Amino acid sequence: MAAILIYILGFSITFCLSAASNVYIDPEGYILYCPCMGRFGNQADHFLGALGFSKGLNRTLVLPPWIEYRYGEPRSIQVPFDTYFKVEPLKEYHRVLTMEEFMKDIAPQIWTPDKRIAFCYTMRGESGGCNAKEGNPFGPFWDTYDVDFVGSEFYGPLHYDTYHHDMSTKWNEKYPPSEWPVLAFTGAPASFPVQIENRDLHKYLQWSSSIQDKARNFIKTVLPRGGFVGIHLRNGIDWVQVCKHVPQSPNLFSAPQCLGYRNEHGTLTNEICQPSTETILRQLKRVIRGMDDVKSVFVASDSNHMLKEIGNALKRMEISVHRLEPSDPHVDLAILGQANHFIGNCVSSFSAFTKRERDARGLPTSFWGFPAEKAAVKNDRDEL
Ligand SMILES: Nc1nc2c(ncn2[C@@H]2O[C@H](COP(=O)(O)OP(=O)(O)O)[C@@H](O)[C@H]2O)c(=O)[nH]1
Ligand SMILES: *[C@@H]1O[C@H](CO)[C@@H](O)[C@H](O)[C@H]1NC(C)=O
Ligand SMILES: [Mg+2]
């Protein structure tokens, strides 16, 4: 009797799954986008915006791969979202699935090749339309999933700020999910830097086990037991170019993270953008003196880690200085996230990632050259 029941049950489950062509299609629709601007830090800012936007429109967000550039390679590389981050914690906030899942299960049903319209604010490129695949990383991104577009849709003057102007309603009125099940954006439906209302969404962004394990392993095996200070030195040649804009840009790139979105905490200075060696050493020592039990400093950098200078400056305090080798930006960030204190570059979106992650966990962060302290400089010199 029991055996028969189990048999019937098993049969009906199998039947139901195949009859419903087995996947759930969200009646509220989907949002797809290419994180086509900037490197990891920029893409992470945009991701939080796209997440907030999808929640506002109540559409499922398709988690795009991260776009990476390898030196000397003409085409970008697409790294699946879940290589670096867990998908499950995001679901506590909103409905999401990976691009790979979307293309395999959902696209064949509601986004067949004849239905693929690219969304952009206004005309892009020479030949009219969105030209969603023109250039790098645009072409390589969609090629990774064998996507070609059959048309373009200009959504201007709608925009992404769903926290004001009843913007979600306007989107859903113009593009009801029944007629437009998929909105595929040429670029991220988000602002840079991240809109203030979306900053806290970072708490749903959690490192994948593989990244987390690498960071933990480094801390356990390389760093001495005890506390450590993590610092980010953004000092490659591209950064020198960025900082040339300081005089004309009082709130350049991620600078609102320390200066405030309306510069309510100050104006950008060159020392904030590219702190001098003197500033770095002085500030680092000051932070360490204010803490208990610091045994080491972990340095993350895109270029010059300054291990010698820092090592010499901290010798008498018996503090060792370390970096990750070979370099790995995601593991660097995951380690910085675990530090007892973090000093970042206020202008850098790479630093901003760690600042948000630490804010979510209540951990302290400060920034190079901020706030500007003319008097403190003198006092510190006397102390040393
Ligand atoms: N490994 C490593 N790479 C870094 C570091 N800082 C910057 N980079 C690299 O330089 C890129 C900087 O671009 P982005 O992330 O957009 O940040 P931003 O330009 O500083 O705002 C990062 O994505 C990394 O690839 C670092 O501390 N460690
Ligand atoms: C949002 O979408 C979900 C899932 O389809 C649905 O259950 C819910 O009622 C929607 N919420 C609003 C406010 O429309
Ligand atoms: Mg950048």
Side-chain angles (χ1 to χ4, degrees), residues 256-267 370-371:
Q257 68 178 319
C258 70
L259 301 176
Y261 279 77
R262 287 165 288 104
N263 281 109
E264 60 269 34
H265 305 308
T267 311
F370 177 85

Side-chain angles (χ1 to χ4, degrees), residues 7-213:
Y7 177 77
I8 293 172
L9 210 67
F11 178 79
S12 28
I13 287 170
T14 317
F15 180 76
C16 284
L17 282 177
S18 53
S21 39
N22 59 47
V23 283
Y24 172 78
I25 304 290
D26 186 354
E28 313 288 333
Y30 295 83
I31 285 176
L32 222 67
Y33 74 94
C34 173
C36 272
M37 191 199 88
R39 288 185 280 171
F40 181 74
N42 296 51
Q43 293 175 39
D45 266 55
H46 271 161
F47 172 72
L48 298 181
L51 183 60
F53 179 71
S54 306
K55 175 94 168 181
L57 269 57
N58 201 21
R59 285 172 176 265
T60 295
L61 175 64
V62 178
L63 305 170
W66 301 94
I67 295 184
E68 295 183 1
Y69 304 90
R70 302 267 195 277
Y71 184 76
E73 288 186 31
R75 291 171 71 83
S76 63
I77 291 156
Q78 283 58 241
V79 180
F81 185 91
D82 56 3
T83 304
Y84 299 139
F85 298 99
K86 295 192 175 97
V87 173
E88 284 309 310
L90 290 163
K91 292 184 179 169
E92 284 170 34
Y93 174 69
H94 189 53
R95 303 183 305 282
V96 298
L97 83 174
T98 64
M99 183 97 171
E100 289 74 21
E101 290 169 324
F102 176 85
M103 291 309 297
K104 181 171 148 287
D105 299 331
I106 314 289
Q109 311 221 24
I110 60 165
W111 207 53
T112 44
D114 57 308
K115 296 206 173 74
R116 297 178 180 174
I117 308 285
F119 275 63
C120 54
Y121 188 86
T122 183
M123 213 163 72
R124 204 187 144 261
E126 306 276 284
S127 49
C130 291
N131 292 299
K133 294 186 65 175
E134 192 179 290
N136 189 39
F138 298 89
F141 176 84
W142 297 108
D143 279 344
T144 303
Y145 302 94
D146 290 323
V147 170
D148 286 302
F149 292 99
V150 293
S152 294
E153 173 69 17
F154 303 136
Y155 60 77
L158 297 183
H159 58 77
Y160 315 130
D161 180 2
T162 52
Y163 299 93
H164 303 97
H165 319 294
D166 216 7
M167 199 38 71
S168 301
T169 310
K170 287 176 184 158
W171 276 94
N172 287 332
E173 276 169 8
K174 187 157 182 204
Y175 302 111
S178 51
E179 276 169 61
W180 299 87
V182 178
L183 308 184
F185 290 94
T186 307
S191 58
F192 178 79
V194 64
Q195 194 180 335
I196 196 160
E197 287 86 349
N198 292 319
R199 270 195 93 246
D200 291 347
L201 300 183
H202 198 108
K203 62 170 174 275
Y204 301 104
L205 199 49
Q206 293 171 18
W207 293 111
S208 64
S209 303
S210 92
I211 299 290
Q212 216 170 35
D213 289 350

Side-chain angles (χ1 to χ4, degrees), residues 38-42 232 234 239 253 300-302 327-329 332 347-350:
R39 288 185 280 171
F40 181 74
N42 296 51
H232 181 214
R234 184 72 167 93
W239 201 247
F253 287 5
S301 177
D302 56 312
S327 178
D328 180 325
D332 265 352
V347 182
S348 164
S349 64
F350 194 82

